[in-house]
């Protein structure tokens, strides 16, 4: 729901992001001198002050300037929260198409302060983290968990990024730079402070990855399934991660009496050479295990628990708001066709034919490329779970029928998880990818500005700009894939007889 007016702010802020997003391992080893005095806690504290400053500044800009800092979505959230406080349906607010949970979370906007939600989204309470330590003893017992934890959802994402990387044995310097890619990315630190709910969704997705990596059925897998059911209820798009989660819950990894063994970052090069020599075996083995051992205990438990949570919340809200909830929060996103201009390559066709119903064949034509790419990426990269999530999300956004700027944060939160395994150099390939992606986006925003603010009939040019942006997304994703060192999260334990058959 970001309008072009709001989107125009983002590229200007993203200029300094060229440096942050372009730093890959080949450069990291030699560029730490200026930041050695900083530690992770200092990084978090500075990031917290930055976000508080931006929230306060946003209040000033909303009052004194024509262009508002606050995201239009936040106004919708706040109006829906006011309706909930008054005992009415949040769907009485037009364009509110989210779970009622978000409206309930923002209820204090009506009696504490209108900026409550901004502090919740970019600053979402310590209670969430304390709940994690209470419900999951292994979390608080972990040497990675500090007694003082970040109090913000945006910061929580940075903290979870560090936990995931440390679990995989990534050196502290690479962890430091990878966290910076999220915490000081102008796109991401403005998302929460402008009142967008995506940082909470990102934090939950990263916590699910942590639960899967820790892998004890009695605690972590149970909690991961609970959070997965909840996040799919809140935002439908994480359903695309269901199949890779099923694949990685491999009986060769998960055992009732022991945790899975995580592949250490230091073994990535040797591991990559082994994988390249046996790629066909690994892929065929994944498929064979998936279909012959589909109904294992971890998979059944994860599926049942996550489905129960999803239907539990959906059932409660269906009881409260009936078909209005079902249509606006769930079904709308499955059948959404937006005639307004957006980044999608399909927008012009939808605009020209919006007044008529689309046939089933037309819907399939737009859906099949997205489904095909998803399946290819899943079956190729599922064992390297963070990387699989990243490329899945980039492809899902690029091929979607509707694309707004807030969708980009879905893969920005996963980008730091793949940087330590990338062989891409900042000079020149990294810079080219960044400039190509940002340039294509800025080019699209120019034509969007000409259409919306100048009233020019530039729909054809805008569609051409969408095609260019699609090409930029595709090229960047392929380049990242080619420069990635494929590294499964877990060591595969193959029975002795299997080795003999090889």
């Amino acid at each position: 729901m970001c309008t072009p007016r709001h989107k125009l702010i983002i590229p200007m802020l993203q200029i300094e992001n060229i440096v942050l997003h372009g730093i890959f391992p080949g450069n990291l080893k030699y560029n730490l001198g200026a930041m050695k005095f900083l530690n992770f806690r200092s990084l978090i504290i500075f990031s917290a002050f930055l976000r508080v400053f931006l929230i306060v500044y946003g209040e000033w800009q909303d009052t004194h300037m024509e262009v508002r800092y606050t995201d239009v979505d936040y106004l919708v959230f706040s109006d829906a929260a006011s309706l909930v406080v008054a005992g009415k349906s949040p769907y009485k607010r037009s364009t509110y198409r989210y779970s009622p949970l978000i409206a309930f979370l923002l209820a204090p906007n009506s009696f504490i302060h209108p900026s409550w939600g901004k502090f919740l989204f970019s600053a979402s309470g310590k209670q969430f983290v304390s709940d994690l330590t209470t419900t999951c003893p292994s979390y608080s017992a972990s040497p990675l968990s500090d007694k003082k934890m970040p109090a913000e959802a945006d910061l929580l994402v940075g903290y979870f990024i560090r936990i995931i990387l440390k679990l995989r044995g990534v050196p502290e310097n690479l962890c430091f730079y990878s966290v910076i890619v999220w915490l000081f990315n102008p796109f991401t630190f403005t998302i929460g402070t402008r009142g967008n709910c995506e940082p909470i969704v990102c934090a939950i997705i990263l916590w699910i990855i942590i639960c899967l990596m820790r892998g004890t059925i009695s605690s972590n897998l149970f909690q991961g399934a609970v959070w997965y059911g909840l996040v799919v209820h809140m935002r439908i798009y994480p359903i695309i991660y269901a199949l890779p989660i099923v694949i990685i819950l491999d009986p060769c990894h998960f055992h009732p009496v022991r945790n899975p063994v995580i592949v250490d970052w230091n073994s990535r090069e040797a591991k990559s050479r082994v994988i390249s020599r046996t790629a066909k075996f690994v892929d065929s083995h994944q498929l064979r295990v998936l279909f012959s051992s589909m109904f294992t205990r971890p998979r059944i438990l994860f599926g049942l628990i996550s489905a129960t949570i999803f239907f539990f919340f959906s059932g409660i809200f269906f009881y409260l708001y009936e078909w209005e909830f079902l249509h606006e929060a769930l079904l709308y996103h499955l059948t959404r066709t937006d005639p307004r201009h957006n980044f999608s390559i399909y927008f012009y066709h939808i605009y020209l034919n919006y007044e008529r119903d689309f046939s089933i064949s037309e819907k399939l034509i737009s859906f099949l490329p997205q489904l095909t790419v998803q399946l290819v990426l899943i079956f190729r990269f599922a064992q390297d779970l963070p990387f699989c999530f990243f490329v899945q999300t980039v492809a899902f956004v690029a091929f979607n029928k509707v694309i707004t700027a807030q969708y980009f944060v879905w893969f920005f939160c996963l980008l730091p998880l793949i940087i330590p395994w990338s062989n891409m150099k900042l000079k020149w390939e990294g810079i080219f990818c960044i400039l190509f992606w940002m340039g294509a986006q800025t080019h699209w925003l120019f034509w969007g500005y000409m259409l919306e603010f100048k009233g020019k009939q530039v729909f054809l040019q805008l569609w051409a700009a969408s095609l260019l942006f699609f090409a930029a997304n595709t090229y960047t994703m392929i380049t990242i894939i080619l420069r990635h060192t494929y590294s499964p999260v877990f060591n595969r334990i193959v029975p002795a007889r299997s080795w003999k058959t090889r």
Side-chain angles (χ1 to χ4, degrees), residues 56 83 106-107 172-173 219 308 330-331 338 353-354 365 422 448 464:
V56 174
L83 290 169
L106 266 65
E172 185 62 34
N173 60 342
S219 59
T308 299
L330 299 176
L331 299 179
D338 196 338
N353 300 276
Y354 186 68
I365 288 173
S422 177

Side-chain angles (χ1 to χ4, degrees), residues 141-368:
S142 169
L144 297 175
S145 59
D146 300 326
K147 291 181 180 179
K148 295 182 179 179
M149 299 181 191
E152 309 193 351
D154 210 1
L155 302 182
L156 197 60
V157 172
Y159 186 78
F160 284 169
I161 288 169
R162 182 173 183 267
I163 289 179
I164 293 170
L165 295 179
K166 295 301 285 184
L167 282 172
R168 301 189 72 182
V170 176
E172 185 62 34
N173 60 342
L174 294 187
C175 289
F176 189 83
Y177 259 80
S178 297
V179 172
I180 285 177
V181 168
W182 169 265
L183 291 180
F184 294 99
N185 179 343
F187 183 92
T188 59
F189 66 60
T190 56
I191 281 288
T193 57
R194 295 177 66 224
N196 195 286
C197 68
E198 302 302 339
I200 290 182
V201 177
C202 293
I204 295 174
I205 289 172
L206 294 182
W207 177 247
I208 292 167
I209 295 176
I210 293 172
C211 291
L212 291 171
M213 290 178 68
R214 289 188 169 147
T216 304
I217 294 175
S218 59
S219 59
N220 290 312
L221 280 187
F222 174 82
Q223 190 178 162
V226 169
W227 286 107
Y228 184 68
L230 180 64
V231 77
V232 173
H233 167 79
M234 290 180 65
R235 299 287 280 164
I236 288 293
Y237 88 89
I239 194 68
I240 66 175
Y241 305 139
L243 186 54
I245 290 175
V246 168
I247 292 175
I248 205 167
L249 292 176
D250 192 320
C252 292
H253 301 150
F254 291 84
H255 192 274
V257 297
R258 59 173 171 77
N259 287 333
V261 180
I262 298 175
V263 176
D264 190 86
W265 178 82
N266 291 312
S267 65
R268 68 198 184 282
E269 293 181 1
K271 193 76 177 177
S272 179
R273 287 194 293 269
V274 172
I275 291 170
S276 63
R277 290 196 300 266
T278 61
K280 292 183 180 180
F281 165 76
V282 171
D283 291 343
S284 61
H285 179 76
Q286 289 177 10
L287 293 174
R288 186 167 61 253
V289 169
L290 177 63
F291 292 112
S292 64
S293 307
M294 174 67 74
F295 300 106
T296 60
R297 186 168 181 259
R299 286 168 176 160
I300 293 173
L301 284 177
F302 195 95
L304 286 177
I305 294 168
S306 58
T308 299
I309 296 300
F310 174 82
F311 286 112
F312 173 76
F313 281 100
S314 299
I316 289 176
F317 292 126
F318 180 76
Y319 174 78
L320 293 175
Y321 306 119
E322 300 179 340
W323 289 100
E324 197 172 30
F325 154 74
L326 196 62
H327 178 266
E328 298 293 344
L330 299 176
L331 299 179
Y332 170 81
H333 298 282
L334 299 177
T335 59
R336 181 180 181 184
T337 53
D338 196 338
R340 295 172 297 178
H341 53 286
N342 62 83
F343 289 103
S344 174
I345 58 176
Y346 299 107
F347 101 86
Y348 191 48
H349 176 72
I350 293 172
Y351 168 76
L352 293 177
N353 300 276
Y354 186 68
E355 294 184 357
R356 70 175 180 85
D357 293 331
F358 289 96
S359 64
I360 296 177
S361 61
E362 286 178 307
K363 293 179 179 179
L364 284 175
I365 288 173
S366 63
F367 177 70
L368 281 177

